Amino acid sequence: MHQRVVQIVREEMNAIGGQEMLMPVLQPAEPWRKTGRLEIEALFKLTDRKGSELVLAMTHEEAVTFHVAQVVRSYRDLPLILYHFQVKERDEPRPRAGVLRTREFIMKDSYTFDRDRAGLDERYELHARAYGRICDRCGLEWYKVESDVGMMGGHGADEYMAPCAAGENDVALAPGYAANVEVASADAQPVQLPPELDGPQRVHTPDATTIEALVGQLDVPAGATLKAFPVIVDEDAMKLVVVRGDHRVNEIKLRTALGAPFRAAGAQEIATRLGPPGYIGPVGAQLPILLDAAVAGNGAGSYVAGANEADAHLRGVKPGRDFPYETVDVRAVVAGDTINGLEIRIEPAIEIGNIFKLGTRYSEPLGATYLDESGTAQLVWMGSYGFGPARAAAAAVEQNADEQGIAWPRAVAPFDVELVALGKPGTEERSFAESLYAELQDAGLDVLYDDRDAGPGEKFADAELLGCPLRLTVGRRTLGAGEIEVQVRRGQQQRTVPVDGAAAAVAELWRTLS
RNA sequence: CGGGGAGUGGCGCAGUCUGGUAGCGCACCCGGCUGGGGGCCGGGCGGUCGCAGGUUCAAAUCCUGUCUCCCCGACCA
């Protein structure tokens, strides 16, 4: 089924003008140094016997850009769509989840090369449509979501997600909206705030180092408290991120907002710069304060915040009046938040593909330029597009399995039909099954023929586990009635077809399946 | 990186606490029965107990080290 997915992808890539090629996995380290990606922890690095530095490629931007830089000279050489199916190697912190997260996997990656942003947008759109067709043809339930650009850098990215319980990503969905929670943004559910005061008032709150404990003591909703999250940006400056007490910081959104790497501040750093951990807050903090939009947007009312001293909080805190801030959107959205007044839900999903607008992120460091009509050198505008056949197959399994096993979509099933012959070898039903096997193949079907000397129960159970769309049974009972039995795997409805013209009837039935 | 678990015939496991003849199911091989939901009877093959050291008369079992795998979390360019 991996090869069936591959062939679907290949056809759709060719249909948008892609040229298939093959690039090496083992590559010199130098181009990776030039793009700054040699530092990536997940990149396998090694040396050969002469001590030359090599890497095992995790994607192929460096290789393809280097290649294009050699070959493309003129605007007349563009646009270009190149792709290949190749092994990717990634030193994952923790490989897991079977086929979903492995150190080594095959990915289709394509790369587009254009003379400008408008060309890139065109090539990107071609891929978006091709990916939609690929997902449909693979029989998947899927959606396209906005995503974080992550390690790739660049100007925008979307992911293709197949919802299922085994998924490792969470996606926020509302009518007309779909985004990975790493970038999702929504309107928070409203909260009843305590009335305003003339200024912050200190309240005694022993052992209230968690929002839960604090809420228990003060009788205010968690959403009326402020949670302070001190971070060290670039191993240098400390900043204080503040979100509503009932919200959580999403670290990907925060990294995006900061525009730089960060880490959570340690207890000692907090104690030195602010106050006792558990009691810190924005009022009086001599730090830049980043206030989440869910707090900053509220007009009336006031909040409870840490007082930066032990066993004390402040009530009546008003952002702006009591502390200066910069507004950011860094909270993780939760189910029940709204977008345009419509509630969102959050679902797990498998990421099966992603598409990135790279721009000149790679063409610049690797010198991929062309000469325009005026003879001026210009940087090539690039896009990068990944698709994981194994993940698509995994999603097809997860979305179509039942108690008995897999129920493959027709397009990606390992075989079209499983033919089960009952009876002892040498019997009439066996010899009929032999001839039916040949006729089915002549009718253009891929057939798995179970001619093992095994009991019927064993064969039926195996057929259902494997999950071919149709199961044919040739047995003495139905054969005597001039029929063979057909089971549609999905739903497991049984029917019979006459022996005469059976192969053609089965082929016809197969065509009606999804 | 933090927490937890597991390494014993091909596969799945028991035995380890309390040291003393390595065991069970499945699979496999042989003979036979059965033949529409993993059926039955009989007879067989197959294991340096992850690895290395130590304790002991004696180690799958106790001790030390080490490797690998799995799960949860962190992380995931």
Side-chain angles (χ1 to χ4, degrees):
Chain A
M1 57 286 178
H2 191 275
Q3 288 311 321
R4 285 201 164 180
V5 176
V6 164
Q7 187 54 30
I8 289 169
V9 174
R10 178 176 284 128
E11 287 169 15
E12 295 298 339
M13 293 312 298
N14 290 343
I16 62 170
Q19 301 178 60
E20 186 164 0
M21 56 180 313
L22 188 60
M23 290 183 279
V25 176
L26 183 62
Q27 302 177 1
E30 194 49 36
W32 294 78
R33 184 169 284 121
K34 285 181 177 161
T35 60
R37 296 213 299 174
L38 196 57
E39 308 310 316
I40 293 176
E41 287 190 350
L43 182 66
F44 279 109
K45 298 141 189 122
L46 64 159
T47 54
D48 67 10
R49 65 177 75 201
K50 291 179 296 198
S52 305
E53 291 180 81
L54 300 166
V55 304
L56 296 176
M58 53 195 308
T59 63
H60 282 73
E61 281 77 11
E62 280 77 4
V64 77
T65 309
F66 180 81
H67 176 249
V68 164
Q70 314 283 109
V71 170
V72 168
R73 293 274 100 97
S74 156
Y75 68 93
R76 296 177 202 275
D77 298 324
L78 301 174
L80 204 52
I81 301 178
L82 302 175
Y83 75 96
H84 71 342
F85 295 89
Q86 178 61 291
V87 170
K88 309 293 164 190
E89 305 284 350
R90 294 185 184 179
D91 192 355
E92 292 283 350
R94 181 158 82 89
R96 63 173 145 182
V99 79
L100 292 182
R101 178 168 224 85
T102 52
R103 277 188 279 245
E104 177 173 277
F105 61 97
I106 290 175
M107 180 165 94
K108 184 286 299 177
D109 40 326
S110 48
Y111 303 92
T112 61
F113 304 88
D114 279 280
R115 40 185 314 185
D116 52 26
R117 180 186 292 257
L120 168 57
D121 289 345
E122 252 180 73
R123 238 54 58 202
Y124 189 85
E125 196 47 43
L126 280 177
H127 272 84
R129 287 205 292 269
Y131 273 41
R133 284 190 296 269
I134 290 167
C135 294
D136 284 341
R137 286 183 62 185
C138 288
L140 295 174
E141 183 192 340
W142 62 277
Y143 29 70
K144 183 175 105 163
V145 306
E146 294 172 31
S147 72
D148 182 47
V149 293
M151 70 158 179
M152 309 297 300
H155 301 262
D158 290 284
E159 289 168 336
Y160 287 77
M161 293 289 194
C164 69
E168 294 195 303
N169 290 84
D170 286 318
V171 176
L173 299 167
Y177 183 80
N180 192 310
V181 293
E182 293 172 357
V183 299
S185 182
D187 298 319
Q189 290 152 274
V191 63
Q192 187 62 48
L193 295 178
E196 290 191 25
L197 303 175
D198 291 337
Q201 291 178 358
R202 177 171 287 97
V203 282
H204 185 56
T205 53
D207 300 322
T209 57
T210 64
I211 296 291
E212 196 180 22
L214 180 63
V215 165
Q217 291 189 20
L218 295 186
D219 192 32
V220 292
T225 66
L226 296 180
K227 189 190 288 181
F229 183 54
V231 295
I232 308 293
V233 183
D234 265 341
E235 282 304 318
D236 181 23
M238 186 186 281
K239 294 187 178 183
L240 192 61
V241 178
V242 177
V243 299
R244 225 167 73 178
D246 59 337
H247 290 155
R248 296 187 60 177
V249 172
N250 180 291
E251 300 197 359
I252 305 284
K253 288 177 71 173
L254 178 54
R255 187 173 65 190
T256 304
L258 291 170
F262 73 93
R263 63 175 172 82
Q268 192 55 51
E269 292 168 307
I270 295 172
T272 307
R273 301 285 301 273
L274 279 167
Y279 290 96
I280 59 175
V283 179
Q286 299 302 306
L287 294 174
I289 291 168
L290 305 176
L291 184 65
D292 184 71
V295 178
N298 280 344
S302 66
Y303 291 90
V304 173
N308 294 318
E309 58 184 77
D311 298 333
H313 280 80
L314 301 174
R315 72 164 99 226
V317 172
K318 270 191 83 64
R321 183 192 68 188
D322 299 325
F323 62 90
Y325 65 86
E326 177 188 342
T327 303
V328 292
D329 177 10
V330 297
R331 76 179 180 96
V333 299
V334 293
D337 292 348
T338 58
I339 289 174
N340 296 326
L342 301 168
E343 280 199 13
I344 64 169
R345 66 182 196 280
I346 294 181
E347 280 190 14
I350 295 177
E351 179 190 351
I352 53 179
N354 50 43
I355 58 180
F356 295 94
K357 291 185 182 181
L358 298 176
T360 58
R361 164 74 178 81
Y362 296 89
S363 53
E364 188 173 355
L366 295 172
T369 61
Y370 66 93
L371 297 182
D372 65 16
E373 291 93 326
S374 70
T376 309
Q378 304 281 0
L379 288 172
V380 173
W381 281 68
M382 293 175 53
S384 158
Y385 316 85
F387 190 90
R391 283 188 167 187
V397 171
E398 296 293 339
Q399 290 181 353
N400 296 288
D402 59 23
E403 294 295 305
Q404 278 72 44
I406 308 173
W408 287 103
R410 193 185 68 161
V412 297
F415 294 89
D416 301 326
V417 176
E418 177 156 349
L419 174 60
V420 174
L422 301 181
K424 290 188 236 196
T427 57
E428 186 191 347
E429 52 267 38
R430 289 297 186 117
S431 59
F432 180 81
E434 298 281 346
S435 59
L436 181 59
Y437 177 45
E439 286 169 33
L440 290 165
Q441 289 178 308
D442 289 343
L445 295 170
D446 277 333
V447 186
L448 176 63
Y449 178 27
D450 188 350
D451 63 350
R452 292 176 299 174
D453 185 13
E458 192 173 350
K459 294 184 178 186
F460 293 149
D462 282 348
E464 279 142 18
L465 182 65
L466 186 58
C468 297
L470 292 177
R471 185 191 81 198
L472 306 191
T473 308
V474 178
R476 196 193 310 159
R477 203 164 73 193
T478 46
L479 199 56
E483 294 175 329
I484 62 167
E485 186 181 290
V486 184
Q487 184 208 57
V488 178
R489 175 62 182 84
R490 195 171 302 164
Q492 295 180 263
Q493 314 99 317
Q494 311 271 355
R495 68 182 77 182
T496 58
V497 297
V499 163
D500 289 334
V506 168
E508 185 54 38
L509 172 60
W510 179 79
R511 274 181 218 107
T512 67
L513 301 175
S514 60

